[in-house]
C-alpha cells in the first residue's frame, strides 16, 4: 500500500498516484489519511500510516503550521514551533522501529506577494529543519520535489484563490507533478535494479557519423554534452557504462581520444562491442562478459530499427530511444523512469572500479592451474563487522537484490533492519577484498540470540563472490559468536525459492543431509566450525 498524509488537501496528488499505480502496479492500493490529520497520522499507532508496512508519504508545506483554526490567518510563532516539534517527533521518536518506507516532501512556501503576511523567515527555517531531520533519520527519505515544476513544464505552482477557499494552495498541474514524483519514487523502490547502460555513439553521444565525419567533424551540441553528463552521473551512482556501436572501432575511439570537449572518456566505459554485427547479439555478449542478466541492462540508441530489434530479441532489456532532434534529448531522458534510483549506497559507487578489477582477476584465473591456486593468488581478506547506521541501507539493498545465495529470500527495508537491531537482534556486514581491489560489502548476517542457540534470520552473499569460500567463513564466524556467548548451536533456516539453489547446496554440504524442497531448519553444533 501507498498511504499519504499532508498539511493541505491532497486529493489531486492521491488521484495522480492512483492513476500511475493502476497502470504500473495494479496490485498496489493507494489510500489517503483524512484531511488535517497529519500529526494524528504520525502519532496514532492504530492509524492508516502507522499500520501500513508498504510506502508512507508525508507532504508538508511549512506555511500550514502557522495557520490558525484551519484558515489562512497567521498564528503566533510559539504555537507554530509546538506544531513543528510534534511533527518532528512524529517522524522520528514515534516511528522508531518502523518497517515501512517513509517518504517526506517539503513543498514550496506561498509566494511573498500573497495577500496574507507570512513569516517567511520562520517558514524557511522550518523547511530546513524538516529536511535536516529527514537526512539524519535512517527510515526517512526526502522526496526530490525541487525539479518537479521544471521537469513537467508546470507554468504556475501556486493557487492563492484555492488556498483561501479550500486549502488548495497549489495548481492541479503542480500537484499532478508531485504525484508523479511519488509514483516514480515508489516504482524505483520496487523495480528490478538496472546495473548497466549500453550506449550507442553516432547521433546519440554526438551528432554525426564518426566513420564519415571523422573525430573533428562530429558535433558535440550542448544537448549531447548534457546527455554525456547525465550518463557520467549514472556511472558515479553505480551503473556500468558500455558502448555498442556499428562502426569501425578505431573511428569511435578517435572521438574519445581526440576530442578534449568530450565529457565521457573511454576510461568511463567498462566494456564495449564496436563492429558490424547485430546489436542484440552484442548486448548478449556484454552480459556474458560482465556476468549479469540482460534484464539488468538499459539500451540507449537513436535508431528506431535498432531499438525495435533489441525489444524483439531481448525483451528483458529496457530500451530508450533518443530523439534525433537534439533539443528534445533532455526532456526525453528525464521522463525515462528506468534511470531513477531510490537509494545509492557507497557499494554502488564502487561498482565500476570493481569491474575493472574483475578483468584482472579473470586474467589471473586463466593463468592458474586450478581454482585453489587462483584463490591463493588472489590473497582474499574478509572483514565481518557489526551493522551500523551507515550500512543499514546496504544490508536492506542486499536482501532485496540477492536471489541466489540466500537461505530464505526474506527481504528487509532499511527501517526493518533498524527495528530488528533495536529489538535485540544482531547484524553484521561482510566486506571482502583481494590484491586486485575491494569487492565492497558483499554479504549480510542477521541473527537472534536464543537460550542455547543462535537463530539465523539472514545469511546471504552477492552472486559475484560465489566460489570464493566466503560462505564457510560466515558460518565459522556465527559459530564462534555462538560459542563466545555460551550457546551450543547455530540454527539455519531454509526456504526454497526459484533461484536459491547455491544456498541449498551449501546447506547440504555442511549438514551432510538432503535439503528438502520445503521450509526447514537445520541445527549445527557450534563446536564443529
Amino acid at each position: 500500500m501507498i498511504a499519504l498524509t499532508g498539511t493541505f488537501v491532497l486529493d489531486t496528488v492521491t488521484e495522480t498516484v492512483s492513476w500511475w499505480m493502476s497502470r504500473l502496479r495494479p496490485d498496489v492500493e493507494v489510500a489517503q489519511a483524512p484531511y488535517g490529520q497529519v500529526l494524528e497520522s504520525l502519532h496514532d499507532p492504530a492509524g492508516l500510516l502507522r499500520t501500513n508496512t508498504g510506502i508512507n508519504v508525508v507532504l508538508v508545506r511549512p506555511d500550514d503550521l502557522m495557520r490558525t483554526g484551519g484558515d489562512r490567518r497567521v498564528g503566533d510563532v510559539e504555537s507554530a514551533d509546538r506544531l513543528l516539534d510534534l511533527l518532528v517527533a512524529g517522524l522520528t521518536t514515534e516511528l522508531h522501529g518502523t518497517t515501512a518506507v517513509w517518504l517526506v516532501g517539503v513543498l514550496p512556501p506561498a509566494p511573498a506577494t500573497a495577500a496574507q503576511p507570512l513569516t517567511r523567515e520562520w517558514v524557511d527555517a522550518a523547511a530546513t529543519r524538516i529536511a535536516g531531520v529527514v537526512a539524519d533519520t535512517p527510515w526517512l527519505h526526502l522526496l526530490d520535489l525541487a525539479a518537479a515544476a521544471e521537469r513537467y513544464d508546470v507554468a504556475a505552482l501556486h493557487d492563492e484563490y484555492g488556498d483561501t477557499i479550500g486549502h488548495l494552495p497549489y495548481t492541479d498541474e503542480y500537484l499532478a507533478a508531485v504525484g508523479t514524483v511519488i509514483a516514480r519514487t515508489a516504482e524505483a523502490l520496487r523495480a528490478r535494479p538496472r546495473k548497466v547502460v549500453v550506449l550507442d555513439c553516432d547521433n546519440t553521444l554526438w551528432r554525426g557519423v564518426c566513420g564519415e565525419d571523422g573525430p573533428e567533424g562530429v558535433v558535440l551540441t550542448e544537448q549531447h554534452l548534457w546527455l554525456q553528463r547525465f550518463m557520467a552521473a549514472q556511472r558515479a551512482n553505480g551503473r556500468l557504462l558500455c558502448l555498442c556501436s556499428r562502426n569501425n572501432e578505431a573511428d569511435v575511439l578517435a572521438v574519445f581520444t581526440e576530442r578534449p570537449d568530450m565529457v565521457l572518456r573511454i576510461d568511463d566505459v567498462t566494456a564495449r562491442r564496436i563492429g558490424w554485427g547485430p546489436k542484440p547479439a552484442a548486448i548478449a555478449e556484454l552480459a556474458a562478459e560482465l556476468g549479469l542478466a540482460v534484464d539488468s541492462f538499459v539500451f540507449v540508441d537513436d535508431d528506431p530499427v535498432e531499438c525495435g530489434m533489441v525489444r524483439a530479441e531481448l525483451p528483458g532489456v529496457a530500451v530508450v530511444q533518443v530523439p534525433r532532434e537534439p533539443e528534445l534529448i533532455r526532456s526525453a531522458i528525464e521522463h525515462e523512469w528506468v534511470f531513477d534510483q531510490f537509494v545509492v549506497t557507497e557499494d554502488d559507487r564502487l561498482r565500476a572500479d570493481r569491474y575493472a578489477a574483475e578483468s584482472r582477476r579473470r586474467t589471473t584465473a586463466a593463468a592458474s592451474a586450478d581454482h585453489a591456486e587462483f584463490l591463493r593468488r588472489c590473497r582474499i581478506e574478509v572483514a565481518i563487522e557489526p551493522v551500523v547506521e551507515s550500512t543499514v541501507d546496504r544490508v536492506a539493498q542486499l536482501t532485496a537484490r540477492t536471489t541466489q545465495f540466500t537461505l530464505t529470500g526474506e527481504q528487509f527495508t532499511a527501517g526493518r533492519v533498524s527495528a530488528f537491531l533495536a529489538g535485540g537482534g544482531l547484524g553484521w556486514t561482510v566486506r571482502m577484498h583481494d590484491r586486485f581491489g575491494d569487492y565492497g560489502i558483499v554479504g549480510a548476517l542477521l541473527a537472534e540470540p536464543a537460550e542455547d542457540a543462535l537463530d539465523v534470520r539472514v545469511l546471504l552473499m552477492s552472486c559475484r563472490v560465489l566460489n570464493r569460500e566466503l560462505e564457510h567463513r560466515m558460518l565459522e564466524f556465527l559459530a564462534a559468536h555462538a560459542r563466545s556467548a555460551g550457546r551450543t548451536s547455530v540454527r539455519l533456516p531454509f526456504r526454497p525459492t526459484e533461484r536459491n539453489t547455491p544456498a541449498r547446496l551449501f546447506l547440504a554440504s555442511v549438514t551432510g543431509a538432503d535439503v528438502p524442497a520445503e521450509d526447514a531448519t537445520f541445527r549445527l553444533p557450534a563446536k564443529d566450525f
Side-chain angles (χ1 to χ4, degrees):
M1 176 190 288
I2 300 175
L4 299 92
T5 189
T7 60
F8 55 92
V9 175
L10 298 182
D11 291 4
T12 301
V13 177
T14 304
E15 289 166 5
T16 302
V17 177
S18 297
W19 186 88
W20 281 114
M21 288 300 106
S22 69
R23 286 152 179 80
L24 298 170
R25 307 273 175 177
D27 58 319
V28 175
E29 181 183 356
V30 179
Q32 178 182 312
Y35 163 70
Q37 295 188 20
V38 62
L39 295 179
E40 292 83 349
S41 298
L42 295 175
H43 288 268
D44 180 6
L48 173 67
L49 275 71
R50 293 283 298 277
T51 57
N52 179 34
T53 58
I55 298 173
N56 290 319
V57 182
V58 182
L59 298 179
V60 180
R61 186 179 74 146
D63 312 42
D64 295 328
L65 301 177
M66 300 197 76
R67 295 171 80 104
T68 298
D71 63 27
R72 300 187 68 214
R73 290 175 297 163
V74 177
D76 62 279
V77 170
E78 185 177 344
S79 297
D81 281 336
R82 283 197 298 269
L83 291 176
L84 180 58
D85 288 341
L86 287 171
L87 177 67
V88 169
L91 291 170
T92 54
T93 306
E94 292 292 334
L95 299 186
H96 189 75
T98 182
T99 60
V101 173
W102 289 79
L103 308 177
V104 180
V106 181
L107 285 89
T113 56
Q116 74 112 8
L118 290 171
T119 307
R120 178 54 58 86
E121 182 179 349
W122 185 94
V123 168
D124 291 344
T128 300
R129 182 183 175 191
I130 295 168
V133 166
V134 173
D136 293 338
T137 307
W139 54 83
L140 300 179
H141 303 272
L142 192 65
L143 282 168
D144 183 8
L145 300 179
E150 180 182 358
R151 174 173 292 177
Y152 295 103
D153 197 24
V154 177
L157 275 65
H158 301 281
D159 183 349
E160 185 178 349
Y161 179 71
D163 193 16
T164 301
I165 66 169
H167 204 181
L168 291 160
Y170 303 106
T171 63
D172 284 349
E173 187 179 21
Y174 178 65
L175 293 176
V178 171
T180 301
V181 170
I182 293 169
R184 286 183 71 153
T185 306
E187 182 63 12
L189 174 64
R190 294 172 175 271
R192 180 178 177 83
R194 302 284 179 170
K195 299 178 180 180
V196 184
V197 180
V198 180
L199 297 165
D200 175 45
C201 294
D202 291 337
N203 294 310
T204 298
L205 294 181
W206 52 74
R207 188 174 68 191
V209 178
C210 63
E212 299 175 359
D213 303 323
E216 296 302 325
V218 298
V219 181
L220 292 172
T221 69
E222 180 52 40
Q223 292 79 14
H224 288 95
L225 289 174
W226 178 90
L227 178 62
Q228 291 191 32
R229 288 191 293 271
F230 180 89
M231 293 304 169
Q234 291 285 303
R235 184 185 186 276
N237 286 339
R239 287 188 167 136
L240 307 179
L241 301 184
C242 296
L243 299 180
C244 183
S245 175
R246 286 180 179 270
N247 268 304
N248 292 321
E249 187 169 41
D251 294 330
V252 170
L253 297 182
V255 179
F256 279 89
T257 57
E258 297 179 25
R259 289 293 297 265
D261 47 347
M262 283 280 289
V263 174
L264 288 178
R265 314 308 300 174
I266 199 62
D267 289 344
D268 296 326
V269 176
T270 300
R272 60 181 186 261
R273 288 296 184 276
I274 302 173
W276 302 100
K279 289 193 174 182
I283 293 172
E285 290 175 7
L286 288 169
E289 177 180 335
L290 298 174
L292 295 169
V294 293
D295 60 2
S296 65
F297 278 56
V298 181
F299 174 61
V300 182
D301 199 309
D302 69 295
D303 190 329
V305 175
E306 300 285 9
C307 291
M309 289 176 61
V310 172
R311 286 192 186 98
E313 298 186 34
L314 299 173
V317 174
V319 177
V320 175
Q321 185 176 334
V322 176
R324 291 287 177 88
E325 301 84 355
E327 65 274 11
L328 300 180
I329 289 176
R330 178 168 183 171
S331 177
I333 295 298
E334 287 186 335
H335 285 81
E336 289 288 349
W337 295 20
V338 73
F339 294 116
D340 296 345
Q341 292 171 273
F342 178 65
V343 172
V344 178
T345 66
E346 185 59 32
D347 197 75
D348 291 327
R349 296 186 178 95
L350 294 171
R351 182 174 291 121
D353 293 335
R354 285 202 312 265
Y355 273 85
E358 194 60 34
S359 176
R360 298 192 294 274
R361 291 189 187 99
R362 287 195 296 269
T363 301
T364 299
S368 301
D370 53 30
H371 188 64
E373 180 186 344
F374 166 65
L375 293 181
R376 286 194 300 272
R377 294 175 69 177
C378 284
R379 298 199 296 271
I380 293 172
E381 296 184 16
V382 176
I384 301 178
E385 300 172 333
V387 176
V388 294
E389 184 175 316
S390 61
T391 58
V392 165
D393 279 333
R394 175 58 178 164
V395 172
Q397 186 182 69
L398 280 169
T399 68
R401 293 184 178 181
T402 304
T403 59
Q404 296 185 55
F405 200 97
T406 172
L407 294 184
T408 64
E410 184 176 10
Q411 297 187 12
F412 283 69
T413 63
R416 190 178 172 202
V417 173
S418 297
F420 179 82
L421 300 176
L426 306 171
W428 299 272
T429 58
V430 184
R431 178 182 288 273
M432 192 169 90
H433 70 273
D434 61 16
R435 70 185 182 93
F436 302 105
D438 189 358
Y439 283 91
I441 295 175
V442 293
L445 298 164
L446 296 178
E448 296 171 302
E451 185 174 345
D452 65 340
L454 185 64
D455 285 334
V456 176
R457 286 285 297 277
V458 170
L459 189 160
L460 60 77
M461 66 181 190
S462 170
C463 62
R464 59 190 169 86
V465 292
L466 290 174
N467 301 317
R468 301 293 195 274
E469 300 183 352
L470 179 60
E471 60 271 37
H472 293 279
R473 299 199 193 189
M474 295 165 70
L475 182 55
E476 290 166 4
F477 173 85
L478 291 170
H481 187 278
R483 291 194 304 270
S484 68
R487 296 184 174 89
T488 61
S489 61
V490 176
R491 282 197 289 252
L492 299 175
F494 180 71
R495 178 177 301 148
T497 70
E498 292 182 359
R499 301 185 53 137
N500 69 346
T501 298
R504 181 178 61 81
L505 294 176
F506 168 67
L507 277 178
S509 71
V510 297
T511 62
D514 291 334
V515 178
E518 57 188 23
D519 291 5
T521 300
F522 297 87
R523 188 180 187 117
L524 305 180
K527 64 181 178 60
D528 291 351
F529 298 91

